[in-house]
Amino acid sequence: MENDIDYSNSKLTTEKALQMLNSEGLEVTLEQAEEILYFLRIIANIAVLKRLNKRK
């Protein structure tokens, strides 16, 4: 997966996302947790941009 943004200083790490997913009964690999986290960040960015555009 091509990740062009560096999230290394993010509060939610891939390892923490993996722990959270496992605690909810979702057995995923570290790579899958990374992809899920990347997807959620994309969705969050889209939601923020839509909200900011509505304000204008």
Side-chain angles (χ1 to χ4, degrees):
M1 170 181 32
E2 189 74 25
N3 189 346
D4 53 352
I5 300 174
D6 180 25
Y7 290 109
S8 61
N9 63 349
S10 175
K11 291 183 180 181
L12 183 56
T13 64
T14 305
E15 292 79 12
K16 180 64 177 171
L18 178 64
Q19 289 175 354
M20 292 170 65
L21 291 165
N22 286 336
S23 72
E24 291 295 323
L26 297 171
E27 295 295 325
V28 297
T29 65
L30 189 62
E31 293 79 19
Q32 290 171 326
E34 182 179 10
E35 289 183 28
I36 292 167
L37 192 55
Y38 179 69
F39 175 74
L40 291 175
R41 286 178 174 141
I42 290 172
I43 297 299
N45 286 335
I46 291 170
V48 168
L49 288 173
K50 280 187 78 171
R51 179 70 176 160
L52 291 175
N53 285 334
K54 283 185 178 180
R55 287 181 153 181
K56 291 181 180 179

